[in-house]
Amino acid sequence: MHPNCIAAVQGAAKAAGRKPLTDAQIKAIDARMAATMRQMARMDPNWRALTPDQRVSAAAQQAMQDMAGEAARKVQNAQLQVVKTAATEQRITDIQAQQKGSRSQALVRDIEQTGSYISGVKQEAVAGLMDLMDAVNTTAGTSPLRRISMFLFDADNPQMTRDVASEIFRNADGSTGNLVAKEGAAAYLKTIETLRQRFNAAGGDVGKLDYGYLPQPHDAARVRAAGRDAWVDSIMPHLDRSRYVLEDGSRMSDAQVRQFMEAAYETIATEGLNKTAPGSFKGSGAKANAGSESRQIHFRDADAYMAYMQDFGSGSMYDAGVGHVGGLARGIGLVERYGPNPAAQMRLQFDLAERAGGAERSFMLRPESYWDQVSGNAGAARSARLAQLGTDARNIQTFGKLGSAVISSVTDLGTFFVTTGYNNLGYWNAVKNIAKTASSKDARDFMTAHGIIAESMIGDLNRWTGDNIRQNWSGRLANSTLKLSLMNAWTDTLRRSFSLTMMQGLARMSKTDWGKLTEWDRTLLDRKGITEADWDVIRQAQLTDFNGVEHLTPEAIRAGGAPNADEVVAKVLGLIQDESEFAVINPDLATKTIGSGGGMQRGTVSGELARTVMQFKSFPIAMISRHWRRALEAPKGADGSAPAMAHPGEDAGALGVATTALGAIPLQAKQIISGKDPIDMTGEHAVKFWAKSVAQGGGLSIAGDMLLNDPSDSPGGFARSFAGTVMGPTAGTIGEGLGLALEGGYKAA
């Protein structure tokens, strides 16, 4: 800042009776002015024709307007935070009254409901990406070998990928002449813009680029391996130099842009640690401010973006796009539930829970652990390289050991029908929907269009693995294993068919006033966070007809015209998704938190070790945290409306009998596949066989696996069995190798 300007500012402060500005404050003002001038220079074609004084005056006025807007938003967000605090308090109080538990336990249940809410937001958002998915899967113009690769390993269609990227950069203007790519890009841009506006309406501050937004997932390890000078040399030709201007509107020189990129290199290579002072607080700020920072790297076009991603990107462009949608959905869920600063909200709630009853735990975990999982703190890798190493190790175990997982999954039929009965849905209708979902593309398209997304479509393949499969080489192999084994098809079909049945059941219920619902139905809705006010919105829905049957869909709810329809849609989709994951077991929040070692962060030694140890334990833990816990906690309706499955004895008995009987099928199938005779189920080995069937069905979970496995069934004997069960499959593989080595050494001696 010019000395005369400093003197003027200090004089104005003195005249206003305020303290003189510090050097740091003066530097901040100077930086603000410089940034405003650069932005105006890029946007105003006549900027360079102005005199220096005119430019300073215009920038000062714009900066004041921006600051006034920020101040107003800050006040508005503070008020909104108070409203959301009151709403959070009411929810927790209501849950505590329903469950007659501690405040800490009620807080955990509220966090679990928030996880379902986030899932509902994401499901509907991904439903808007179907044209993009069509573009991804298009094989037009590809060779037979490429088509095989696309089917087996999710490889992309190179020309289509380039065209989609180009259309996104150019805001889907049709310049490529590729209609499929244009429609895919338009769907993506519409979805992220809808999410951006919704996030900002809840107090967020995410700006919009004048060209189409594509995430930039940098691979920090590859960037570091290249070194600063080589990385800067590589990226310089790809930049849109018109974006890098000085305060007077002239373009930055090569040396100035290089200096700018060198600073960007330090941030990317250190994964942001260069911006953190040693020993400083590393907590997150207001969630509403996430995304408010302006982008620093601007590529000149889609080809430049794709070339850079090829050299230094992490994952595919589609992975990055869907991941961005998921991140926006998480942000929306958090700010809509807890206000513009969810982290501050949680600090308050943790303190209140601590004062109310001490360190109450759910599944031996404190509420903070659940929060780290649902907020994404545990999933954000501290070291991308270490996180990738851990993920690769787990993916290798997945494609090495889950080739026959679909055989074991026959036990899903037991949980499917138990959950159907628990929700008072028709068994025969559920069976018909299985057939319909398996055979009818129209039925699958109907559900996809209305927010019922197949798990395999969005990469959340964590049913067995306990972690998302990342789309690098190991992730593609793991994904192809689940695809070729028909595991994806089996899981998607059952879960979608249950969701379809649930949509039909909710449509029938929606015709009944809240007060006239059975006590059981009201209790189920309450436990999913759906209130009487929400039900009034659902009652106004204009139900969607499909094949002569009415369904409760997001469009049906919005057609009612309620101002809070977005929130109700998220709750309903979250309810359907959560119940479908009871029907066909998928990890709930408790299981995911346990599987991450209590919310330990990815990319840390402890976090990766915990995830590796807990791999393949998600299914048995989820059986406990979902079904066995629900059997114990099932509410009792005084009006006799509760189904048989609501009573602990009937629920546990039906679940145990069904999963045990079905568990016998994969046991015998594995015997036959391995070339052995079927086990005599009534002879001298009957007790052990049926005990194994219980374990196979989920009844004895991890303990059953460890106690009932025959060490002679696999190489490495007891060392492999014990290590694999207790320490995870990776340790089991190591134990197997050690066991074989010791066995070979013993025989050689």
Side-chain angles (χ1 to χ4, degrees):
M1 187 182 294
H2 193 278
N4 291 341
C5 295
I6 295 175
V9 171
Q10 295 287 31
K14 184 177 180 180
R18 296 182 177 179
K19 295 180 180 179
L21 274 64
T22 65
D23 290 342
Q25 290 171 322
I26 291 173
K27 288 180 180 179
I29 293 173
D30 198 24
R32 179 68 178 253
M33 284 289 294
T36 302
M37 292 177 73
R38 288 194 297 269
Q39 182 181 14
M40 296 181 72
R42 189 173 61 79
M43 303 298 295
D44 185 354
N46 299 318
W47 184 258
R48 298 195 67 183
L50 301 177
T51 66
D53 286 345
Q54 288 174 325
R55 288 196 289 265
V56 170
S57 177
Q61 292 178 12
Q62 184 62 51
M64 285 190 291
Q65 291 177 14
D66 292 343
M67 292 173 69
E70 291 167 7
R73 191 174 70 85
K74 188 174 181 180
V75 171
Q76 182 180 11
N77 281 359
Q79 296 170 341
L80 185 58
Q81 190 71 20
V82 172
V83 172
K84 293 298 182 181
T85 298
T88 302
E89 177 65 25
Q90 186 63 56
R91 290 198 309 269
I92 293 173
T93 301
D94 290 345
I95 293 171
Q96 195 171 359
Q98 292 167 9
Q99 300 182 354
K100 298 179 174 58
S102 68
R103 185 182 179 93
S104 182
Q105 292 168 332
L107 176 57
V108 168
R109 183 55 60 91
D110 188 70
I111 294 172
E112 289 176 336
Q113 290 179 0
T114 298
S116 295
Y117 188 92
I118 291 170
S119 176
V121 176
K122 181 180 179 180
Q123 291 289 110
E124 187 180 18
V126 174
L129 298 179
M130 288 305 103
D131 284 339
L132 178 63
M133 298 297 182
D134 289 342
V136 171
N137 295 321
T138 298
T139 59
T142 60
S143 66
L145 184 60
R146 169 62 67 167
R147 294 179 187 182
I148 293 173
S149 182
M150 289 177 69
F151 174 76
L152 290 178
F153 306 115
D154 294 328
D156 69 336
N157 179 337
Q159 184 60 52
M160 183 62 69
T161 299
R162 283 194 296 272
D163 286 350
V164 169
S166 182
E167 289 287 353
I168 290 175
F169 260 81
R170 297 175 64 87
N171 288 311
D173 64 354
S175 57
T176 64
N178 185 334
L179 181 60
V180 175
K182 176 186 176 181
E183 291 177 347
Y188 168 77
L189 292 170
K190 179 181 179 181
T191 297
I192 64 171
E193 176 60 14
T194 300
L195 292 174
R196 187 188 73 87
Q197 292 180 7
R198 181 170 173 178
F199 181 72
N200 286 352
D205 182 24
V206 177
K208 183 180 180 181
L209 294 169
D210 53 4
Y211 62 92
Y213 176 84
L214 272 172
Q216 297 175 359
H218 305 276
D219 188 327
R222 293 163 76 182
V223 172
R224 284 195 299 270
R228 186 188 68 181
D229 292 341
W231 181 82
V232 174
D233 288 341
S234 175
I235 200 172
M236 286 287 286
H238 298 315
L239 299 175
D240 179 359
R241 295 295 292 271
S242 68
R243 300 272 170 178
Y244 301 93
V245 297
L246 299 174
E247 287 84 347
D248 64 357
S250 61
R251 293 193 178 187
M252 290 183 178
S253 66
D254 286 350
Q256 289 169 322
V257 175
R258 283 190 69 88
Q259 185 178 14
F260 200 80
M261 288 298 110
E262 286 170 358
Y265 169 86
E266 294 299 329
T267 299
I268 296 169
T270 64
E271 300 178 63
L273 292 179
N274 65 311
K275 295 184 176 182
T276 304
S280 64
F281 174 66
K282 296 181 176 62
S284 59
K287 190 71 178 180
N289 293 331
S292 60
E293 302 84 1
S294 59
R295 170 170 281 193
Q296 302 300 316
I297 298 177
H298 299 273
F299 294 102
R300 69 169 189 273
D301 54 28
D303 288 338
Y305 170 86
M306 296 295 293
Y308 176 83
M309 288 296 117
Q310 183 69 29
D311 293 335
F312 299 106
S314 174
S316 73
M317 180 185 75
Y318 301 115
D319 295 333
V322 174
H324 177 59
V325 169
L328 284 171
R330 185 190 300 275
I332 287 168
L334 294 178
V335 298
E336 287 186 349
R337 293 277 287 181
Y338 298 121
N341 196 337
Q345 181 74 258
M346 280 299 110
R347 288 194 294 271
L348 170 63
Q349 297 304 328
F350 296 149
D351 287 345
L352 291 173
E354 187 76 24
R355 293 178 185 177
E360 292 281 347
R361 295 172 182 264
S362 179
F363 278 93
M364 300 179 290
L365 298 170
R366 292 167 59 86
E368 290 88 335
S369 297
Y370 289 89
W371 171 249
D372 285 339
Q373 190 69 35
V374 81
S375 66
N377 295 336
R382 184 177 300 175
S383 166
R385 172 57 69 184
L386 184 56
Q388 190 60 61
L389 287 173
T391 302
D392 286 342
R394 295 188 290 276
N395 284 345
I396 290 170
Q397 296 299 321
T398 297
F399 69 72
K401 297 181 178 178
L402 290 189
S404 60
V406 70
I407 298 174
S408 300
S409 294
V410 68
T411 57
D412 290 338
L413 292 172
T415 56
F416 181 94
F417 287 112
V418 166
T419 308
T420 299
Y422 188 90
N423 284 278
N424 258 336
L425 302 173
Y427 292 107
W428 178 239
N429 192 41
V431 171
K432 288 194 298 183
N433 284 333
I434 293 176
K436 184 185 299 183
T437 305
S439 62
S440 171
K441 183 178 183 299
D442 288 344
R444 294 192 294 272
D445 289 345
F446 171 79
M447 286 183 285
T448 298
H450 292 91
I452 307 301
I453 310 299
E455 182 183 43
S456 58
M457 293 178 66
I458 55 178
D460 290 338
L461 301 173
N462 53 16
R463 179 181 186 206
W464 295 92
T465 64
D467 198 6
N468 288 343
I469 293 176
R470 309 292 169 180
Q471 290 303 311
N472 64 340
W473 65 271
S474 67
R476 295 183 193 282
L477 285 174
N479 204 357
S480 65
T481 299
L482 298 179
K483 180 185 295 184
L484 292 175
S485 70
L486 301 181
M487 187 68 220
N488 287 352
W490 171 265
T491 301
D492 289 345
T493 296
L494 284 185
R495 196 167 287 151
R496 279 178 147 183
S497 63
F498 180 86
S499 298
L500 188 64
T501 308
M502 196 78 184
M503 293 166 74
Q504 295 164 356
L506 288 171
R508 290 191 295 271
M509 284 176 59
S510 70
K511 299 176 181 180
T512 305
D513 289 334
W514 179 267
K516 295 182 180 179
L517 288 173
T518 66
E519 183 180 352
W520 174 253
D521 287 338
R522 286 198 304 272
T523 300
L524 286 183
L525 293 170
D526 272 335
R527 291 171 72 86
K528 297 295 183 179
I530 295 180
T531 65
E532 182 175 358
D534 296 329
W535 191 250
D536 289 340
V537 173
I538 293 171
R539 289 270 295 125
Q540 299 171 31
Q542 299 179 20
L543 300 176
T544 303
D545 182 273
F546 178 67
N547 288 342
V549 181
E550 292 180 326
H551 298 74
L552 182 66
T553 64
E555 288 73 14
I557 295 172
R558 288 204 173 86
N564 62 331
D566 284 347
E567 296 182 10
V568 176
V569 166
K571 289 183 178 183
V572 170
L573 286 179
L575 180 155
I576 295 172
Q577 175 75 7
D578 192 47
E579 285 301 309
S580 76
E581 293 181 353
F582 272 90
V584 184
I585 291 292
N586 215 35
D588 58 356
L589 182 60
T591 304
K592 292 175 184 177
T593 306
I594 293 170
S596 63
M600 291 182 181
Q601 192 172 6
R602 287 182 64 241
T604 62
V605 173
S606 58
E608 294 306 316
L609 180 61
R611 287 165 171 81
T612 301
V613 167
M614 297 304 294
Q615 187 179 15
F616 299 155
K617 296 180 175 64
S618 292
F619 180 81
I621 293 174
M623 278 292 297
I624 296 170
S625 66
R626 283 190 181 277
H627 281 283
W628 298 113
R629 178 171 66 166
R630 179 141 87 173
L632 294 174
E633 293 181 351
K636 312 301 181 295
D639 62 355
S641 59
M645 291 298 104
H647 298 279
E650 285 83 349
D651 190 3
L655 187 64
V657 170
T659 55
T660 299
L662 291 168
I665 296 174
L667 278 180
Q668 297 288 35
K670 290 176 182 178
Q671 285 287 113
I672 296 171
I673 291 172
S674 62
K676 300 178 183 179
D677 292 331
I679 301 171
D680 184 356
M681 297 183 289
T682 61
E684 59 179 319
H685 300 297
V687 173
K688 184 176 180 180
F689 173 81
W690 289 108
K692 279 191 171 185
S693 298
V694 174
Q696 179 72 51
L700 294 182
S701 67
I702 302 167
D705 292 341
M706 184 170 65
L707 296 174
L708 299 171
N709 277 346
D710 186 344
S712 64
D713 283 347
S714 59
F718 180 76
R720 182 263 179 200
S721 178
F722 181 82
T725 301
V726 178
M727 298 302 295
T730 300
T733 300
I734 297 172
E736 180 179 321
L738 289 174
L740 288 172
L742 291 172
E743 183 179 335
Y746 177 79
K747 290 180 178 179

